Amino acid sequence: MTFGVYIVLIAVVGVVVGALAQRLLPGRDSMGALEAIPIGIAAALLGGLVGWYSVHSRIVGFLLVVVVTIGLVHVVREARRRPAA
């Protein structure tokens, strides 16, 4: 698999995982799926690139995509909940 194909597949996975991460996190949610999808794509690309360059494993890269996406969606949700100081 070439690097370009890997990036496209990771972006597609980011769309799916971003939408699912928003649903999987417990609690009230002020974020819709259309807001979670770009976060999912960004997190997927970040996790996928780290997996590609550091571990050289697509499976570890995919797991990083899932973990980073859920983490980033959670961080954005918590940042929106807290009032500005």
Side-chain angles (χ1 to χ4, degrees):
M1 176 182 313
T2 65
F3 182 70
V5 172
Y6 180 71
I7 292 297
V8 170
L9 288 176
I10 289 297
V12 170
V13 168
V15 169
V16 174
V17 174
L20 288 176
Q22 181 252 350
R23 297 286 180 213
L24 291 176
L25 290 171
R28 278 192 58 160
D29 193 7
S30 61
M31 181 186 328
L34 291 178
E35 294 171 318
I37 287 173
I39 294 170
I41 292 172
L45 290 174
L46 177 66
L49 289 174
V50 168
W52 180 274
Y53 284 115
S54 65
V55 187
H56 303 292
S57 170
R58 288 182 219 129
I59 294 171
V60 173
F62 178 74
L63 293 175
L64 279 171
V65 165
V66 172
V67 170
V68 170
T69 302
I70 291 173
L72 193 56
V73 168
H74 177 69
V75 166
V76 170
R77 281 176 57 180
E78 289 300 316
R80 287 182 172 197
R81 259 189 219 160
R82 293 195 177 110

